[in-house]
Amino acid sequence: MATTRTATTQWKGALLDGSGTVSLDTSGVGTFDVSWPSRAEQANGKTSPEELIAAAHSSCFSMALSHGLAQAGTPPQSVETRADVTFQPGEGITGIVLSVRAQVPGLSAEDFQQAAETAKANCPVSKALAGTTITLNAELVG
């Protein structure tokens, strides 16, 4: 069964001096301020597309790793994943580093490395970030 998740951004002004909010519509868990300075300089209490990508990637990877380990008969006690998404103004996203720490009783370091590599290759967000078809629906109003 397919699911669709929705977020909406309201933006006012030009890129450099404008600002906006992004709301997590499906879950309703929050609305967050966004701006160019929070993206290209310091966060200053606001989020950015890259931070949202990092959140998506770290949670997806953790789920994929946990699932893979459990299917192999070695469910983890805990998995902590950090995703660092680097944004370079003028270039875009230049890299993502996933750092994971996990407690998995009875699993060798070599087997854990293999499970982590498999999760990195197969989590849906990793696949989407590796290259995906993007569909655009654009409507000019006003």
Side-chain angles (χ1 to χ4, degrees):
M1 178 175 172
T3 59
T4 299
R5 301 294 184 248
T6 304
T8 303
T9 298
Q10 298 289 329
W11 187 267
K12 294 183 180 171
L15 174 62
L16 298 180
D17 62 356
S19 64
T21 58
V22 58
S23 63
L24 305 182
D25 299 340
T26 304
S27 64
V29 297
T31 299
F32 306 93
D33 294 331
V34 294
S35 70
W36 176 255
S38 68
R39 184 177 195 183
E41 299 164 14
Q42 295 298 314
N44 294 322
K46 298 177 182 175
T47 194
S48 68
E50 292 72 27
E51 184 176 35
L52 297 170
I53 289 170
H57 206 177
S58 66
S59 59
C60 183
F61 175 85
S62 291
M63 291 175 171
L65 179 57
S66 178
H67 181 65
L69 290 167
Q71 281 192 317
T74 54
Q77 287 181 342
S78 67
V79 174
E80 179 182 295
T81 304
R82 175 182 171 136
D84 294 304
V85 177
T86 301
F87 173 75
Q88 178 64 46
E91 291 181 47
I93 294 173
T94 59
I96 299 172
V97 176
L98 294 172
S99 301
V100 62
R101 293 177 53 153
Q103 291 181 319
V104 189
L107 190 67
S108 71
E110 181 179 291
D111 289 343
F112 178 71
Q113 182 66 38
Q114 177 61 37
E117 290 291 339
T118 299
K120 181 181 76 99
N122 293 308
C123 99
V125 172
S126 287
K127 287 182 174 184
L129 295 173
T132 189
T133 300
I134 299 172
T135 302
L136 175 64
N137 295 310
E139 179 181 359
L140 182 62
V141 297

